[in-house]
Amino acid sequence: MACLSAAFCLSAAASAAAPAGAPQPVVLYGDDDYPPYSYVEHGQLKGIYTEIVRTAVQAMPQYQVELRPVPWKRGLLMLQTGQAFGLYPPYSWRSERPYVRYSVPLLMEQLVVFCNAEVMAKRALQQWPADYGGLHIGVNAGFLLGDAGQMAALRAGKVVLDPAKGTRTNLLKLMRGRIDCYVSDRLSAQWELQRIRRDGQAGAPMPAIHETAQLDSQQGHLGFTARQPDAYPYRDDFIEQFNAAIARMQSSGEIRRIVDQALLP
């Protein structure tokens, strides 16, 4: 796979054993379409989580880390099979994804529901999910909207989930009436809406969408495969060192600075 981050193209054989005394090559995968958190732009893997992970591993000289982009659904499958060592930024759904071990939390995200004006004109959308029965709700492919109990409640309420790849695709579907609502992290949706408006993709005038419900907050992590332990004998040490680096970044305010810098106009 071609490396999309020159600063981290440090090893082409990132899961191979390192020679004695040399840093251990490691590949970590990031979501390729989750701006502003993790995404590819002009051939570079960017985003808030990317910068958090990049900064943390720079403080781990025993490891030679390469960051690679991957479609989210494929990345989850790679974790499940043990093909990938690490992937960011999954939420902690331990019973639904028993094949993942999680780092300490990297960042808090606020999940909200956006709906288009046409749907809002036809019904009052005050309570989630009771008022959303029969609606087509967009989600990013591979995204879990809740645990087994929450998913059962959605099915019982006849809420139809309609997955598609990426925030921009889902927002354009919402504005064009192809879905009724979309569940997303608030910041990710707002950031992408600004870019859609700038690029003129939604047409003029830009169709209105509105936030209708606030769901649970979720924390993003660096997830590690729990499979193929013999392929990653360094896993426990890597997790311990990574967690310690994140704790130092939180204490120093470095994570807050990364977020603020990413959101500058």
Side-chain angles (χ1 to χ4, degrees):
M1 180 184 296
C3 181
L4 298 187
S5 180
F8 274 73
C9 288
L10 304 178
S11 174
S15 57
Q24 171 63 53
V26 173
V27 171
L28 300 176
Y29 290 91
D31 191 339
D32 71 351
D33 196 10
Y34 188 36
Y37 294 111
S38 180
Y39 62 101
V40 173
E41 184 176 65
H42 305 306
Q44 296 291 313
L45 181 57
K46 298 183 176 183
I48 294 170
Y49 282 120
T50 297
E51 291 307 313
I52 291 172
V53 172
R54 176 177 288 138
T55 302
V57 300
Q58 285 176 338
M60 299 165 57
Q62 300 93 329
Y63 295 95
Q64 190 174 35
V65 179
E66 177 185 341
L67 304 185
R68 295 180 182 174
V70 69
W72 184 245
K73 197 170 181 180
R74 184 188 304 168
L76 289 172
L77 180 60
M78 291 168 68
L79 277 190
Q80 187 173 6
T81 60
Q83 183 182 353
F85 172 63
L87 171 72
Y88 60 90
Y91 301 153
S92 180
W93 297 115
R94 297 178 186 272
S95 59
E96 287 72 25
R97 293 173 177 159
Y99 52 87
V100 180
R101 289 183 57 183
Y102 297 90
S103 73
V104 294
L106 306 182
L107 203 64
M108 183 73 75
E109 301 178 31
Q110 178 61 60
L111 296 182
V112 297
V113 184
F114 295 94
C115 297
N116 61 42
E118 182 178 351
V119 171
M120 295 181 64
K122 294 178 180 178
R123 64 166 78 185
L125 298 174
Q126 298 176 342
Q127 186 174 357
W128 172 269
D131 295 338
Y132 293 76
L135 297 182
H136 286 251
I137 310 295
V139 293
N140 289 359
F143 176 79
L144 280 179
L145 194 49
D147 59 18
Q150 291 171 299
M151 295 302 292
L154 292 174
R155 289 192 294 271
K158 301 188 185 304
V159 172
V160 181
L161 297 183
D162 189 342
K165 184 181 183 298
T167 304
R168 173 168 291 216
T169 298
N170 273 297
L171 287 171
L172 289 172
K173 287 176 65 177
L174 178 60
M175 287 185 281
R176 293 166 180 168
R178 294 172 54 196
I179 54 177
D180 301 307
C181 302
Y182 171 46
V183 175
S184 172
D185 164 72
R186 177 187 284 135
L187 179 59
S188 179
Q190 291 174 342
W191 190 88
E192 194 63 80
L193 279 170
Q194 291 177 355
R195 290 163 65 90
I196 291 172
R197 183 177 292 110
R198 180 196 67 193
D199 298 342
Q201 277 193 266
M206 184 171 170
I209 64 173
H210 302 276
E211 184 178 316
T212 60
Q214 180 173 302
L215 309 185
D216 293 337
S217 298
Q218 294 290 348
Q219 293 174 313
H221 301 74
L222 176 54
F224 303 91
T225 184
R227 307 285 168 82
Q228 305 287 352
D230 292 343
Y232 311 108
Y234 48 83
R235 182 181 61 197
D236 290 349
D237 178 71
F238 189 98
I239 294 173
E240 181 179 354
Q241 291 199 42
F242 183 82
N243 286 347
I246 293 298
R248 291 192 296 269
M249 291 171 64
Q250 290 169 335
S251 296
S252 70
E254 180 65 22
I255 288 180
R256 183 70 257 170
R257 286 192 290 272
I258 288 172
V259 173
D260 291 343
Q261 181 66 31
L263 299 180
L264 288 175

